[in-house]
Amino acid sequence: PDGTTLSDGRCFSVTFDDVGVSWTAASDTCVAAGGMLAVISSEEHNSTLDALRVDSCGAAVHVLFGLTDAATEGTFLWPDGSALGAADYTNWSTGQPDGGTNENGVELNVPAQWNDTGIDDANLKTCFACSFEPSFDNGVTCSYTVDPACVQ
């Protein structure tokens, strides 16, 4: 979709909503656009999302992405149902995840590390990230790219 960035084989977009949205509403928005709440499976994805977070939402704003342990505490799943495995890329802040059943979502905080966070309607987020799988048969293309060497 327009306004997406290609990073390590996946397209990303970050949306700012000054009112704030729930995890479910953010997820629904991503799905309606042909994607899902963002999947971060590499350091390049993480760095790209951090740069988009700063550009779209501001340097101090955290961005919600698709990892959640809402179904089973401590078992983190991506929106496609795949589990976060022990060998998979992660970038947890020191001491995270620590939220128990009160914090079932994950956000990219400052400085580009992961933090578990509340995702119910009392914990609205102003910034969320979607990811899209580019392919010739689903019509998804990225409108511009970010050179990983430029992302600090």
Side-chain angles (χ1 to χ4, degrees), residues 95-150:
Q96 297 295 324
D98 68 349
T101 57
N102 293 325
E103 296 184 347
N104 291 320
V106 182
E107 62 189 2
L108 188 69
N109 65 16
V110 181
Q113 294 179 321
W114 300 4
N115 173 62
D116 58 339
T117 185
I119 58 171
D120 58 17
D121 289 340
N123 291 283
L124 301 181
K125 304 299 177 187
T126 58
C127 191
F128 63 93
C130 302
S131 62
F132 307 86
E133 298 297 330
S135 72
F136 294 110
D137 59 354
N138 70 5
V140 172
T141 58
C142 298
S143 60
Y144 59 93
T145 61
V146 172
D147 180 347
C150 297

Side-chain angles (χ1 to χ4, degrees), residues 28-43:
D28 290 347
T29 299
C30 294
V31 169
M36 65 183 79
L37 275 172
V39 174
I40 302 174
S41 57
S42 70
E43 185 175 352

Side-chain angles (χ1 to χ4, degrees), residues 8-107:
D8 196 19
R10 187 170 289 138
C11 299
F12 293 96
S13 68
V14 171
T15 300
F16 179 78
D17 184 308
D18 59 354
V19 175
V21 296
S22 67
W23 192 93
T24 301
S27 178
D28 290 347
T29 299
C30 294
V31 169
M36 65 183 79
L37 275 172
V39 174
I40 302 174
S41 57
S42 70
E43 185 175 352
E44 183 178 330
H45 290 164
N46 203 73
S47 295
T48 298
L49 272 186
D50 191 50
L52 292 171
R53 173 191 63 80
V54 172
D55 288 347
S56 299
C57 304
V61 177
H62 300 181
V63 61
L64 185 67
F65 62 96
L67 198 58
T68 179
D69 68 345
T72 303
E73 181 59 34
T75 301
F76 287 91
L77 301 175
W78 293 108
D80 64 4
S82 62
L84 179 67
D88 293 341
Y89 174 81
T90 63
N91 196 29
W92 293 107
S93 294
T94 302
Q96 297 295 324
D98 68 349
T101 57
N102 293 325
E103 296 184 347
N104 291 320
V106 182
E107 62 189 2

